[in-house]
Amino acid sequence: SARSSVGALPCTVAGLVLQGALASAGTLSEAKTDTPTVVPLPNCTIAYIPLKQDDPLPDSSSVVLPVYEGLDRSKLLTQLRMPCRPDEQDKWIMCGAAIFVVGE
């Protein structure tokens, strides 16, 4: 079932923005020189994954990005695993890619 592939108690989160990368075709990609500082993320499905359960996104093709409350990065809320091309994790960490919850 879809639920078992995502994890227990999945929920959809809207209103997140991404800095330092683009989210296109289901994976992170490089921002262009004319890309705004932050770009909206599509709605994300998140879920609790028990330690004994395999993560649906393998380490080799995903990166853990910080999620901050505001653009000033003063309050870390959590981390989300985002899909990326295999073995590009360091690239996204080094460029400071991050996700933000921004108020309307």
Side-chain angles (χ1 to χ4, degrees):
S1 78
R3 182 175 176 161
S4 65
S5 67
V6 174
L9 304 172
C11 67
T12 300
V13 178
L16 301 176
V17 296
L18 178 64
Q19 184 179 55
L22 297 173
S24 59
T27 190
L28 294 176
S29 62
E30 287 188 36
K32 310 295 183 230
T33 55
D34 61 346
T35 301
T37 304
V38 294
V39 292
L41 275 175
N43 292 351
C44 298
T45 299
I46 61 172
Y48 170 75
I49 307 291
L51 288 175
K52 63 184 180 213
Q53 182 178 333
D54 289 340
D55 197 307
L57 291 174
D59 290 347
S60 62
S61 59
S62 63
V63 62
V64 176
L65 297 182
V67 179
Y68 294 101
E69 182 177 39
L71 294 176
D72 63 1
R73 297 185 183 220
S74 63
K75 185 172 182 184
L76 178 66
L77 298 175
T78 190
Q79 298 176 323
L80 292 179
R81 184 173 293 280
M82 297 289 292
C84 67
R85 291 184 187 93
D87 302 318
E88 284 193 348
Q89 295 84 359
D90 289 345
K91 172 183 179 176
W92 302 117
I93 293 167
M94 294 299 291
C95 82
I99 300 168
F100 302 89
V101 177
V102 292
E104 294 292 316

